[in-house]
Amino acid sequence: MLDLGNKFIKKSFLVYGFGKTGKACFDYLKKNNLVLIFDDNEKKIPLKYKKYIFKKNINNKFDYIVLSPGINIKNCGLKKIINNNNNKIITDLDIFYSRNINNIKTTITGTNGKSTTAKLLYEVLHRHKRDVRLIGNIGKPVLSEKKISKRTEFVIEASSYQIAYSKFFKSTHSMILNISPDHLERHGNISNYVNAKLKLIYLQDKKCFAYLDKNNKYLKNKLKRNKPKSKLINVNLHGLKKIENKITNPYFKNINNLSNLAFIIRYGNANKLNQKKIINSVNSFVGLKYRQEIIFKKKKITIINDSKSTSFASSLSLLKSYKNIYWLVGGIPKKGDIFNLEKKYFKNINAYIFGLQRKFFIKKIINKINFQSFNYLEQALKKILKDIKENKVINPTIIFSPAAASFDNFDNFEHRGKYFNNLIKKINFTKKICEK
């Protein structure tokens, strides 16, 4: 085993990116190291940290450069320094691993469903009375945890950026939930994106476990050419057959969440968890906000807020799982995004396209799905209300799953999701649609 116990002590560091991750890194490292910070947007750095800001014209020799996930090394303020010190780049995951080598770590990645699966696994392990912590890309930096013991277990959500930049991090259990084209503007192509995800598994040793769908078209050939050392556990929906009649939570009606659940079940079997406790956790599970979140459900209507959707692939499971769909779509499209929905679902969907990039979405779905185009989300939502009432639609499902990034009009997907919920209230939508 690689001894990393003292690797990150009494060294010099540059922490690049000063959001949540960067601040947690700085606070953790400053006790035993020389640490400077940098952010392309210096205004983000609070006043009390100003004296630690790295200046480009001074000595730029560091033992390590800790990159936050949001830093694009191809287009950043310290591009030249990064290129000249590529061998020194690490992440908070590497530092975290060096201090918690012997703790059980379960890391979850994939294109869609990471946060939901991580939260569900956390709740399953918590129900088993484990000292478990939920950290990582889900919103809590890995270096922010306190009071860690030998029995502490970690459930970690990791993005492709974090994995790609890491050098030492090794996870006891690694899950790759699914793979479809995403973040190609950063990775360049789908092959690089897949390699970033698979790195999580290739860093494991023979005592570790990897959970994935071996038949995923993006993983299959790469796994054949380069077989991991860890034990591979195949995951598919067949593993749910024995328990599907016990699942009563409507959150697990759609295909994507069922696929996520399949990983939890396989993990539970491999680790001899109590199946009854798993089922109880599933049926009491409340999904994360703005991630395929059912915000209203009565006999006459279902409304789903899936603001987290930033690509066509992340919207497909909802479009396949419901009937009489009124789909709100729009925002900043992802590079290379493809609308890959089977023809049999087309007649079930009416699309309401909004925003400045309407032409992109129209081009993707024209001659496939009926659509209408609007400047603003509020206009689209009001038209949905009118169409449902005029056409006397039975049991419609309104799906706000934008399939695009939110930065055209919003700070992030949470801001966009909250805005949608407020629109529903403002228009008095649910009351009007349920009127007799």
Side-chain angles (χ1 to χ4, degrees):
M1 180 182 289
L2 183 65
D3 183 10
L4 296 175
N6 296 314
K7 193 172 184 66
F8 303 123
I9 294 178
K10 295 182 179 179
K11 299 291 170 57
S12 60
F13 290 85
L14 172 62
V15 175
Y16 190 1
F18 209 66
K20 285 183 179 180
T21 298
K23 184 179 181 302
C25 284
F26 176 83
D27 291 342
Y28 183 88
L29 291 168
K30 68 178 181 179
K31 301 170 188 174
N32 301 300
N33 303 281
L34 171 65
V35 188
L36 294 180
I37 60 178
F38 188 84
D39 196 286
D40 290 333
N41 181 6
E42 194 172 310
K43 292 179 181 179
K44 288 175 60 177
I45 301 177
L47 186 62
K48 69 176 183 178
Y49 295 98
K50 295 290 185 182
K51 63 182 178 180
Y52 299 103
I53 293 177
F54 167 69
K55 303 298 182 183
K56 295 182 186 180
N57 58 347
I58 66 173
N59 186 348
N60 59 19
K61 291 184 179 180
F62 298 95
D63 292 312
Y64 297 102
I65 299 174
V66 188
L67 280 188
S68 294
I71 303 300
N72 182 355
I73 60 175
K74 297 177 183 178
N75 181 25
C76 63
L78 299 182
K79 182 178 179 180
K80 186 176 180 179
I81 293 174
I82 294 295
N83 288 339
N84 292 336
N85 295 275
N86 194 267
N87 62 320
K88 297 179 180 179
I89 292 174
I90 60 170
T91 71
D92 60 335
L93 286 176
D94 294 316
I95 300 166
F96 166 81
Y97 176 68
S98 74
R99 308 310 301 166
N100 303 285
I101 288 177
N102 296 316
N103 293 76
I104 295 174
K105 294 167 284 291
T106 300
T107 306
I108 298 170
T109 193
T111 303
N112 301 303
K114 298 184 291 295
S115 298
T116 295
T117 308
K119 187 186 180 211
L120 178 57
L121 180 58
Y122 166 80
E123 293 189 3
V124 167
L125 293 174
H126 190 264
R127 193 176 286 263
H128 282 78
K129 307 299 182 184
R130 306 281 185 88
D131 175 17
V132 59
R133 316 291 175 85
L134 179 61
I135 55 177
N137 199 50
I138 198 165
K140 190 170 187 181
V142 297
L143 293 176
S144 64
E145 279 300 314
K146 310 293 183 185
K147 297 181 181 179
I148 297 170
S149 72
K150 292 180 180 180
R151 297 182 62 188
T152 304
E153 299 180 32
F154 299 97
V155 175
I156 307 163
E157 180 190 335
S159 72
S160 58
Y161 307 144
Q162 289 171 297
I163 300 167
Y165 291 155
S166 296
K167 281 188 169 61
F168 308 107
F169 177 71
K170 182 167 63 178
S171 186
T172 320
H173 303 273
S174 296
M175 296 184 188
I176 301 180
L177 303 180
N178 48 68
I179 294 289
S180 57
D182 202 5
H183 303 304
L184 302 189
E185 70 283 353
R186 282 275 295 269
H187 292 287
N189 56 56
I190 184 65
S191 181
N192 291 341
Y193 175 62
V194 175
N195 288 340
K197 296 292 190 184
L198 281 172
K199 186 179 177 183
L200 181 66
I201 289 175
Y202 289 133
L203 286 173
Q204 292 182 302
D205 59 35
K206 62 182 180 181
K207 294 181 181 180
C208 300
F209 300 84
Y211 306 76
L212 45 78
D213 179 359
K214 292 181 182 179
N215 292 317
N216 181 284
K217 67 178 181 178
Y218 295 109
L219 299 176
K220 194 173 183 180
N221 291 333
K222 287 183 180 288
L223 289 170
K224 282 183 179 179
R225 291 195 298 267
N226 187 8
K227 190 174 181 180
K229 295 177 183 177
S230 54
K231 182 179 178 181
L232 295 184
I233 298 177
N234 192 41
V235 182
N236 53 52
L237 289 173
H238 295 299
L240 297 177
K241 287 187 176 180
K242 293 182 179 179
I243 64 156
E244 59 185 355
N245 64 327
K246 299 178 182 178
I247 304 300
T248 59
N249 190 338
Y251 187 75
F252 293 94
K253 178 179 179 180
N254 76 70
I255 296 168
N256 195 55
N257 286 338
L258 279 174
S259 297
N260 298 337
L261 178 57
F263 278 83
I264 300 297
I265 298 301
R266 289 293 278 132
Y267 181 95
N269 292 340
N271 292 277
K272 298 180 181 179
L273 299 181
N274 183 289
Q275 190 176 95
K276 185 176 180 180
K277 290 181 179 179
I278 295 176
I279 299 299
N280 288 339
S281 297
V282 171
N283 286 334
S284 62
F285 182 74
V286 178
L288 293 162
K289 290 184 76 64
Y290 317 131
R291 295 167 171 89
Q292 302 188 355
E293 180 187 11
I294 300 173
I295 62 170
F296 186 84
K297 184 174 178 61
K298 285 192 175 180
K299 286 185 178 181
K300 290 191 176 184
I301 187 172
T302 299
I303 304 177
I304 298 173
N305 187 337
D306 187 35
S307 179
K308 184 64 169 68
S309 166
T310 57
S311 67
F312 283 127
S314 58
S315 296
L316 293 184
S317 64
L318 289 175
L319 299 180
K320 292 178 180 179
S321 302
Y322 293 88
K323 295 181 178 180
N324 297 330
I325 292 173
Y326 290 76
W327 178 30
L328 288 155
V329 55
I332 301 176
K334 289 278 182 79
K335 177 185 175 182
D337 204 6
I338 299 171
F339 184 60
N340 194 21
L341 182 68
E342 295 94 323
K343 187 177 180 179
K344 64 181 179 179
Y345 297 103
F346 291 171
K347 291 183 178 180
N348 188 45
I349 304 167
N350 293 286
Y352 293 72
I353 302 170
F354 64 90
L356 296 175
Q357 302 288 331
R358 298 189 299 280
K359 289 183 179 179
F360 171 87
F361 296 98
I362 290 171
K363 186 177 179 180
K364 294 292 182 180
I365 70 174
I366 195 168
N367 298 323
K368 296 178 180 179
I369 293 175
N370 291 328
F371 70 89
Q372 298 179 52
S373 176
F374 305 87
N375 289 322
Y376 304 107
L377 175 57
E378 184 172 359
Q379 293 172 333
L381 193 54
K382 286 180 177 179
K383 189 59 166 64
I384 288 176
L385 175 60
K386 182 179 179 182
D387 289 349
I388 289 174
K389 292 181 77 69
E390 287 184 353
N391 297 318
K392 299 181 180 179
V393 180
I394 299 173
N395 299 327
T397 302
I398 296 170
I399 297 177
F400 178 56
S401 188
S406 58
F407 306 119
D408 52 344
N409 291 304
F410 306 96
D411 297 335
N412 47 46
F413 79 88
E414 290 98 340
H415 181 202
R416 180 169 65 180
K418 186 176 181 180
Y419 178 80
F420 175 76
N421 284 354
N422 288 336
L423 275 184
I424 293 291
K425 294 177 183 176
K426 176 183 174 182
I427 299 171
N428 207 5
F429 198 98
T430 52
K431 181 178 180 180
K432 289 179 180 178
I433 204 71
C434 292
E435 288 174 348
K436 293 184 178 180

